[in-house]
Amino acid sequence: MSRLKGKVVIAQGGGPTAVINQSLVGAVIESRKFPEVTRVWGAAHGVRGILEEKFVDLSEATTHNLELVARTPSSALGSTRDKPDAAYCGKIFEVFKKHDVHYFFYIGGNDSADTVRIVNENAAREGYDLRSIHIPKTIDNDLPVTDHCPGYPSAALFVACAFSGVNADNFSLPGVYIGVVMGRYAGWLTAAAALARKHDDDGPHLIYVPERQFSIDRYLADIDRIYRRHGRCIVALSEGVWATRDTRGRAVPLAADLMRKAGREPQVDAHGHVQLSGGALADELADAVQQSLKIKRVRSDTFGYLQRSYPGVVSNVDAREAREVGEKAAHYACWHNIDGSVVILRVGDYAVRYDLAGLEEIAAKVRYLPDEYINPEGNGVTEAFRSYLQPLLGDAVPYMERLWAPAATLINTAGERR
Amino acid sequence: MSRLKGKVVIAQGGGPTAVINQSLVGAVIESRKFPEVTRVWGAAHGVRGILEEKFVDLSEATTHNLELVARTPSSALGSTRDKPDAAYCGKIFEVFKKHDVHYFFYIGGNDSADTVRIVNENAAREGYDLRSIHIPKTIDNDLPVTDHCPGYPSAALFVACAFSGVNADNFSLPGVYIGVVMGRYAGWLTAAAALARKHDDDGPHLIYVPERQFSIDRYLADIDRIYRRHGRCIVALSEGVWATRDTRGRAVPLAADLMRKAGREPQVDAHGHVQLSGGALADELADAVQQSLKIKRVRSDTFGYLQRSYPGVVSNVDAREAREVGEKAAHYACWHNIDGSVVILRVGDYAVRYDLAGLEEIAAKVRYLPDEYINPEGNGVTEAFRSYLQPLLGDAVPYMERLWAPAATLINTAGERR
C-alpha cells in the first residue's frame, strides 16, 4: 500500500441520474477520511472543468450540505457531453500533475470510463502515480460486467410508475396509448415498463426495444390483436427503435428517419449520437394507428427528460448502492492503491457485493438486453427480466388497486330481474 | 329532513386525477352509513354506465378494497368524455326512476356539473325526489366558487417536481428547455411550475399561459435575455397558448395552428375541444429557438398524460380534501336533503371548510388565472400566486440542494497562486 499523498479530483460526466449525487457524496466523504488525501476537489462540468481548472474545494463542504445534495437528483458538480480524445486526456493529465492530483474519480457511463482509461495510460507512461477509478452511473444500464448501473433502478422505477398511472388512466378512458422511453441502443429502461403490470389485462401490452428490428406492420398487427381482446392497448417503445439500416449496415433510428422525412436534419452530438428527443416519433406512431386501424382514441407521450432526474421517485436500493460505489472508489484507490471501474455483483436474491473491474473491460462498451429477457415475438419481456429488475426497484413501487364489487342485480320497478 | 329512502348512484366523469378515487371512496363509505340508503351503486364509465345500466354494487365492496382504491390514481369506476344533452339527461333520469335511485353523486369538472344540473331539473319537473350533488375534481383547477379543485394540487405537485428535476438537469447540462404542460384555457397547472424555483437563477424562468396572447417574437426575446444572463433558460408553457384568433374571434391554439400547417386536421371531441396532445408544439417551439437564437442545446418535452395520474406524486392536502368533498356530498344529500356542488372555502392560512354552491353557479363555467396571479410582462406568475399554491402542495415538495463549497485556491507546482 503506497498511501499516496495528494489531491483527489472528482467529476461527473454524461446525463444526470436521480442518484448520481449519492456516488459523489459517498466518494467525497470517504476520501476526506484519509490523511494522505490533501484536498478533495470537485471539477465543474466534468472533464471540461479539469481542463479549464474550475474546481470547488469539497474538503470544505459541510457534511450536512453534502447529505442534502446526495438526496437531490442530477449532477451537482455540473456535467458535460465532451468526449475527450488523446490530446484532451493529455491536457487533463497535465492539470493533474500541476496540482498534485493523485486520485481521479470519474462518475459516468462507458464514455467516461474510456476517458479514465486514457488519462490513466498517460500517467502510467510517465511513471506518475495516479489512481484512477471509474464510478458507474447511467439510466441506460448498458455497462458490461456490473450486474446493473446505479441510476438505472430509479429511472426504471419512474418508467414503471408512469406506465402504472397510464394503465389506470387508459383503463378509465380506453384507447391506444404509446409511451416513448429513453434508450438509444439498449432497451433496459423501456423493458422496465413491464413492471407496471399486475392484472392479466394491464398494460403495457406491447414492448419494443432497439435489440430487435422494428416493423410498423407487425406493430400495427400487434396493437390490433390486443385492442380486439381488451378494448384498449398500451405500448412502451424505446426512442432508439429502428426499421432500416444505412448503406454501411448501421441501424437508422426510426426517429431520425421521420425527422429527415419531415425535412429536418437530426442533430449529432460529440459522441456521434443522433439526437432523438422530441415528440415526432410518438406522434407518427399514434397517427399510424389512427389511420390504419381506425381507432378513435389514440394518445402518445414522449417521457423525455423527466425520466432521469425526477425528484422523489427514487429506488431506495439504488440510492444505497449509488452511495456505496462512490465509497468503494475511495477504498480501492486509497486502501488498495489500484485502478479500475467499480462494479456491482449480484450475490443471492437479492444481495450485492462490490468489485473492481479493469477499465478496459468497461470503456466504450455497450451491454444490450440479453435474448433471454426478450420474448420470442420481440414485442415484450420475459419473466426472467422481471425477476432481474424487481428487487432493484426497492420498496417504493406503488400498489394499484382495482374496485372489487359484484355487478348490481338489476330489478326494474315491476320487480323483474335481468 | 326527508330521510329519503332509495339507492345512491355515483359516477366519475372526465379526465382522471391522482385523488379522484379518494372522493369516490369518501362518498361511498359515508353513504353506506345511512340506513335510508338501500344500496350504493357505482356506474361504469360515468353517465354512459347509467344509460347502459352498467352498475357495480359498492355496498358489497370491502372497506379494505375501497381504502386501497382511494390511494390509487385515476377513476376506478371508469370515466367518459360523453357530454349529455337534454335527451341523454332525460334517459339518465328514466334509469334512476326505474331503479329507485334517489341520490346522484357525480365526480367531475364543469361539464359534469352541468349534467348534474340538467338531470336534477328533470327530476324537479316531475316532482321526483332526487338529491343531486356534484363533487368537484379537475387538474385544470378551473371551476368557479371553490378555492381550488381536488386533483389540481397533486397535478401541480407533479409539475413542480418535474420542473425541479428539469432545473437540476439543466443546471448540470445548460441549454434551453421548454416543458409543455396541460391546460387548454386556463394556466393554473402551468403556473405551478413556478413552485420549482428556490434560487434566484432557478427555472422555470419564463411561464406562458393561455390567459395572455402568445407572441413568438416576445417569447424569443425573453429566452434570449434569460440565456444571456444565466447561460440557460427553462420555459413552462401551457398546451393551450394561442397567438391568433379565428374569424369568429375565438383563440386558435398554437398547437392546432401547427398541426394544420403540417397538413393534419386536429381531432375535436364531443365537447368541441380540439385535441392538443402530441409533441408538435414543443418541437416547433424548440426549433424556433434553435433557428432564431442559434443556441445549440435546446430540448423540449410535452408532459402529457403522466401529469394527471402519476402514482406516488400526491399532495397529502389534496388527498385529504378530495376524501372530504366526497364525504360531504353524502352529508349534504342525506343529512341536509339539498342539491348542489361541494366547494372548498379557504379560511385562514391554511385551513378550509366545505360548503355547497348552487349547481348553476358551477355548471359549464371556467375560472381563469386572475390578473393578480400573472406578472405584468405576461411571462411569469406573481408572489400572490405562489402564496395561493404553496399550502396546497402538502409536505411532499422535494428539497433541492446545491453544493456549497469554496472555489479551490489554485497553486501551481511553482507555488504561484492565481
Side-chain angles (χ1 to χ4, degrees), chain B residues 142-371:
Chain B
D142 60 355
L143 302 186
V145 189
T146 191
D147 176 74
H148 57 278
C149 305
Y152 170 64
S154 295
L157 179 65
F158 182 91
V159 169
C161 286
F163 276 98
S164 288
V166 156
N167 177 63
D169 197 314
N170 185 270
F171 182 82
S172 134
L173 289 169
V176 174
Y177 178 90
I178 300 129
V180 175
V181 179
M182 276 185 174
R184 181 180 299 276
Y185 303 117
W188 293 99
L189 195 53
T190 308
L195 278 285
R197 282 200 292 257
K198 186 183 147 200
H199 298 94
D200 273 352
D201 61 333
D202 277 344
H205 308 94
L206 298 166
I207 298 175
Y208 301 99
V209 294
E211 282 82 356
R212 296 287 180 270
Q213 187 168 9
F214 184 77
S215 148
I216 189 87
D217 293 335
R218 257 180 295 141
Y219 156 86
L220 291 171
D222 284 347
I223 291 176
D224 189 46
R225 194 183 63 253
I226 301 288
Y227 190 80
R228 283 167 194 271
R229 191 188 310 157
H230 298 304
R232 62 194 196 94
C233 181
I234 295 172
V235 178
L237 183 133
S238 297
E239 60 182 2
V241 294
W242 57 277
T244 56
R245 294 182 184 276
D246 65 15
T247 48
R248 288 200 269 166
R250 294 171 310 187
V252 180
L254 191 53
D257 259 354
L258 293 170
M259 264 189 264
R260 290 203 187 94
K261 273 178 199 155
R264 293 182 196 160
E265 193 47 32
Q267 280 182 269
V268 175
D269 72 8
H271 301 247
H273 302 320
V274 169
Q275 188 203 318
L276 298 179
S277 65
L281 179 61
D283 287 357
E284 287 288 338
L285 289 172
D287 268 15
V289 173
Q290 216 151 24
Q291 283 166 26
S292 298
L293 304 181
K294 310 294 175 206
I295 294 171
K296 197 158 175 260
R297 191 167 191 279
V298 183
R299 299 289 185 268
S300 63
D301 283 324
T302 305
F303 291 180
Y305 291 90
L306 306 192
Q307 296 165 89
R308 68 184 191 188
S309 52
Y310 199 94
V313 182
V314 173
S315 152
N316 55 332
V317 169
D318 193 21
R320 196 197 69 207
E321 293 176 351
R323 172 64 77 107
E324 289 186 323
V325 294
E327 296 192 34
K328 292 310 288 179
H331 292 178
Y332 288 122
C334 299
W335 286 127
H336 299 279
N337 196 29
I338 49 176
D339 307 313
S341 174
V342 184
V343 294
I344 302 175
L345 305 179
R346 188 183 297 226
V347 288
D349 187 15
Y350 173 81
V352 297
R353 68 178 182 81
Y354 303 99
D355 203 352
L356 199 69
L359 289 166
E360 70 292 347
E361 294 180 70
I362 310 294
K365 285 181 183 140
V366 175
R367 183 179 58 151
Y368 301 99
L369 271 176
D371 287 345

Side-chain angles (χ1 to χ4, degrees), chain A residues 57 65 290 308 401-402 406, chain B residues 57 65 169 267 401-402 406:
Chain A
D57 191 346
N65 174 240
Q290 216 149 23
R308 68 186 190 186
E401 180 79 347
R402 286 191 188 171
Chain B
D57 190 346
N65 174 241
D169 197 314
Q267 280 182 269
E401 180 78 347
R402 286 193 187 170

Side-chain angles (χ1 to χ4, degrees), chain A residues 35-51:
Chain A
E36 64 271 30
V37 168
T38 53
R39 287 277 163 174
V40 179
W41 279 3
H45 294 287
V47 285
R48 183 179 286 249
I50 303 174
L51 222 69

